[in-house]
Amino acid sequence: MPELDSVGELVEPVLVAAFEGWNDAGEAAGTVVEHLMTAWGADELLTLEPDDYYDFQVARPRTSVVNGEHGGITWPTTRISIARPAGGGCDVVLVSGSEPNMRWRGFAGDLLAVARELGVRRVVLLGALLADVPHTRPVPISGVTSPKHLLSTLHLEPAGYEGPTGIIGVLQDTFASAGMETVSLWAAVPHYVAQPPSPKATLALLRGVEDVLDVTVPLGDLIEEARAWEHGVDELASEDEDIAGYVRSLEEAKDAAELPEATGEAIAREFERYLKRRGRG
C-alpha cells in the first residue's frame, strides 16, 4: 500500500467511485467521475498495481505508435485522485478505472484501506443499468444505502434486485460491513439507446452526487448535451414506426405508474434543490 502521509489532512472526505464495464451502461457513471475530476481540478494521488487485478488478455493494455516511433504502453488500472471543491464543506476522493477482472475481495480491501487512511466517512458508488424506460422522461435514479435510513434522508427511490453483481455491489458490501456510510446511485438507461455517451443519465447522476455531497457541481455543456441527445433520439425514433410505438408504450406505462402524490413530491424536491443551489450562488 503506497504511503499517503503527503496528502495532508482532508476536510470531511467523501469517496466517489465509478468503474467502466458491466456496472456502467452508456458509460454514464464513469463520465460523472471524469466530469468531477475536470470541474474540480483533481490531482492524481496513486494508482493500484494493475498486475494484481487485471487480466491483460481481457483488459488489454494500449500502445501508441507515431510516425513509426513507439510511444509507450498504457496499462489498465484504478486511479485515485483528490479534489477540493471551492466553497464545499468536504474534500472528495475520486476513484475511476475499469472494473477489475480478478481478486475482487483483495481489490475491495485495498480501496477500503486507502479510504480509512484518508479518513473517509461516507462512500458514494455510481452505476448505470439498462432498463425499459423512455428517453423522454426524467432518468430514474434508485439507491442502495447503509444504514437504511439514508434512503429517506436523501430522498432516494429504493433499488430492488437479486442476481449477479459487479464490483459496485462488492464495494457496497465491503464498505458497509466496515461501518462506513455507503450510498450506491443507479441510473436507468433506455435499453434501445444503450450506446455511449448517455449525457442525460450522466446529468441525473451528477444531480444525485450534488444532493449526497451537498455541493454545487459546475455542469459545463452537459445540460445542452443532454437536450441534444434527447432530440437526436426523438429524430431516430420518428423514422421507425415500431420504435416510435414502443417508446409511446413506455411513456404510457411510466406516466400511469406515477401517482399524483409522487409527482408532487418530486416537484417539491426539485424546487427545494433549486432554492438551495440558488441561495449558495
Side-chain angles (χ1 to χ4, degrees):
M1 178 61 59
E3 292 295 329
L4 303 177
D5 295 340
S6 61
V7 176
E9 187 173 355
L10 299 178
V11 177
E12 299 293 331
V14 178
L15 185 145
V16 178
F19 296 87
E20 302 167 10
W22 193 82
N23 308 274
D24 195 11
E27 298 179 0
T31 304
V32 170
V33 175
E34 293 176 4
H35 182 92
L36 294 177
M37 292 177 67
T38 301
W40 288 338
D43 296 315
E44 185 173 302
L45 175 61
L46 60 92
T47 59
L48 299 186
E49 175 54 57
D51 286 29
D52 291 342
Y53 302 116
Y54 292 94
D55 178 347
F56 298 135
Q57 289 185 322
V58 177
R60 290 186 177 271
R62 299 180 63 86
T63 186
S64 63
V65 178
V66 180
N67 294 326
E69 182 178 359
H70 175 60
I73 296 288
T74 301
W75 296 91
T77 189
T78 297
R79 292 178 169 81
I80 301 173
S81 304
I82 303 293
R84 304 174 190 268
C90 65
D91 292 331
V92 183
V93 181
L94 296 169
V95 180
S96 63
S98 300
E99 181 179 61
N101 307 117
M102 52 194 181
R103 302 189 182 95
W104 283 10
R105 286 181 290 185
F107 178 87
D110 272 0
L111 283 186
L112 175 60
V114 170
R116 280 175 165 164
E117 190 158 350
L118 293 176
V120 168
R121 293 292 181 269
R122 176 175 286 186
V123 175
V124 183
L125 305 169
L126 306 176
L129 50 86
L130 298 178
D132 295 328
V133 294
H135 71 279
T136 53
R137 298 294 185 266
V139 175
I141 300 292
S142 57
V144 183
T145 67
S146 180
K148 185 178 179 180
H149 73 76
L150 286 176
L151 275 173
S152 57
T153 301
L154 298 172
H155 306 294
L156 291 173
E157 291 296 322
Y161 174 76
E162 183 175 351
T165 191
I167 195 62
I168 294 296
V170 172
L171 291 173
Q172 171 82 32
D173 182 74
T174 298
F175 286 117
S177 297
M180 292 188 182
E181 288 189 350
T182 309
V183 179
S184 293
L185 301 177
W186 288 90
V189 176
H191 69 88
Y192 54 91
V193 279
Q195 68 275 15
S198 188
K200 190 172 180 179
T202 294
L203 180 60
L205 282 171
L206 268 174
R207 295 298 195 192
V209 170
E210 283 188 323
D211 290 344
V212 175
L213 270 60
D214 195 23
V215 299
T216 300
V217 178
L219 298 178
D221 297 327
L222 194 54
I223 293 177
E224 288 303 318
E225 290 171 2
R227 289 172 178 162
W229 175 87
E230 184 171 338
H231 180 67
V233 179
D234 284 343
E235 291 186 337
L236 290 174
S238 68
E239 296 170 0
D240 189 310
E241 185 175 335
D242 290 337
I243 293 179
Y246 178 64
V247 171
R248 284 195 298 272
S249 70
L250 291 177
E251 291 172 338
E252 291 168 0
K254 176 67 174 175
D255 294 343
E258 289 287 346
L259 298 174
E261 302 83 34
T263 303
E265 291 175 1
I267 293 173
R269 287 199 299 270
E270 190 63 31
F271 187 60
E272 182 181 350
R273 176 193 288 130
Y274 167 77
L275 290 178
K276 181 186 294 184
R277 303 295 174 237
R278 187 171 181 270
R280 197 173 276 172

